[in-house]
Amino acid sequence: MKKIHLALIISALALPGYGQVTKQVKNSEQIWLGYFNQTRLSDKWGLWTDVHFRTTDGFVGEPSKFLFRTGLMYYLTDDFKLTNGYNFTNHFPEEGHANVSMPEHRIWQQLQLHTKYGKVRTMQWLRLEERWRRNIKNDNELAAGYRFDTRLRFNYMLNIPLSKKGIVSNTFFVAINDEIFVNLSRKVVYNTFDQNRFFAGLAYQTSAHSNLQLGYMNVYQQLGVGNRYQNSHTIRLFYFQNLDIRKNKKVH
């Protein structure tokens, strides 16, 4: 009898579509605007600031998110930094989400490394986020309390110069960037993989330590129910600014 039961189970599992859930992918068009600043205060300490505004629904149909992030950086070396900070995010109402803006608070820790291979530059970071997202009642009313989750992010950026001089002031370069997100909370069941962001674009080095990047980014995100995905075609415009205000700045 046990053998018969086992044979039935194996046969059922072998049937086409058994145990499978139809994958649903929704496409959207977005615009992301962002400003990044890293200011070095001393040989060991610095400040991180970045601000973002995003729109969606045919690129500009409605606001999507506003983010403000700040942090205190510690320089292990000129190219290797540790950061600990705070991030506020406002999720605006949009299709497929709650009908009320949802605030989110995050604490984040990061390891960041810059490297050079000839005239090619790379940057990578590993970031851990602790997230508190406000509870929502009946999809249209903020409720008391927050939902807590943790998330890990790994980001890799490759900058390839288009000038024989390398990446210096008033030159262009190609920027390629990929970042993957993984949910770590035990409450997350169906979407341990959160999202992947791939960017490719053209950048202009406005000064020795600042640049403007414009290009296309694909954001592929798995939603909480597991079988639903969001595929966002995004125009991304970011400005990166690095300042050094040390009184006794080293000359390289």
Side-chain angles (χ1 to χ4, degrees):
M1 182 65 69
K2 291 182 179 179
K3 291 182 178 180
I4 294 175
H5 287 169
L6 181 60
L8 290 173
I9 293 173
I10 293 174
S11 298
L13 291 174
L15 290 174
Y18 180 86
Q20 297 180 2
V21 180
T22 302
K23 182 177 180 180
Q24 302 176 25
V25 180
K26 179 184 175 181
N27 290 288
S28 67
E29 301 79 32
Q30 301 185 353
I31 292 179
W32 288 24
L33 305 175
Y35 168 75
F36 292 79
N37 177 277
Q38 295 185 43
T39 299
R40 192 164 187 175
L41 306 174
S42 67
D43 288 346
K44 291 297 183 181
W45 297 101
L47 294 176
W48 173 297
T49 304
D50 64 276
V51 183
H52 301 254
F53 181 69
R54 303 171 186 172
T55 60
T56 187
D57 188 14
F59 293 109
V60 294
E62 57 186 19
S64 175
K65 291 179 177 57
F66 169 80
L67 297 90
F68 173 77
R69 184 183 290 110
T70 187
L72 182 63
M73 299 189 296
Y74 181 77
Y75 287 75
L76 294 172
T77 68
D78 289 338
D79 298 318
F80 189 30
K81 293 167 277 189
L82 308 178
T83 307
N84 185 58
Y86 166 77
N87 169 212
F88 170 77
T89 300
N90 184 72
H91 302 267
F92 292 99
E94 57 182 286
E95 185 179 355
H97 299 278
N99 297 316
V100 62
S101 289
M102 181 185 71
E104 176 182 344
H105 304 276
R106 303 176 191 172
I107 302 298
W108 59 286
Q109 302 82 37
Q110 176 176 281
L111 303 175
Q112 184 182 18
L113 176 65
H114 298 267
T115 53
K116 294 181 181 179
Y117 301 96
K119 296 178 181 179
V120 173
R121 299 180 184 180
T122 70
M123 187 282 299
Q124 53 191 313
W125 73 47
L126 183 66
R127 179 182 296 176
L128 179 66
E129 296 177 323
E130 296 84 33
R131 311 172 65 195
W132 287 265
R133 290 178 286 177
R134 184 70 177 268
N135 291 326
I136 294 179
K137 180 180 179 181
N138 298 326
D139 208 35
N140 60 7
E141 180 182 351
L142 293 179
Y146 290 81
R147 173 187 172 184
F148 176 75
D149 294 296
T150 56
R151 186 169 67 180
L152 189 67
R153 304 167 54 168
F154 177 72
N155 183 35
Y156 185 85
M157 179 182 291
L158 176 66
N159 294 334
I160 305 171
L162 296 178
S163 169
K164 294 180 180 180
K165 300 177 183 178
I167 301 177
V168 297
S169 298
N170 303 316
T171 62
F172 289 92
F173 62 91
V174 173
I176 300 173
N177 179 206
D178 191 72
E179 185 172 16
I180 187 169
F181 297 61
V182 178
N183 290 312
L184 301 179
S185 175
R186 293 182 179 179
K187 299 178 182 179
V188 175
V189 178
Y190 300 108
N191 62 325
T192 299
F193 163 77
D194 180 57
Q195 61 182 282
N196 188 81
R197 300 175 181 175
F198 175 79
F199 170 82
L202 184 65
Y204 180 71
Q205 191 73 16
T206 58
S207 69
H209 302 288
S210 302
N211 65 78
L212 185 67
Q213 299 183 7
L214 174 64
Y216 168 80
M217 181 171 67
N218 178 261
V219 182
Y220 191 74
Q221 182 174 14
Q222 185 177 19
L223 304 181
V225 293
N227 70 316
R228 294 177 58 193
Y229 293 79
Q230 181 84 17
N231 186 46
S232 300
H233 303 284
T234 306
I235 297 173
R236 197 185 87 173
L237 177 63
F238 281 178
Y239 182 65
F240 296 85
Q241 182 180 46
N242 298 289
L243 302 176
D244 193 335
I245 61 174
R246 288 177 291 176
K247 292 182 179 179
N248 299 314
K249 185 166 53 176
K250 297 178 181 179
V251 178
H252 297 280

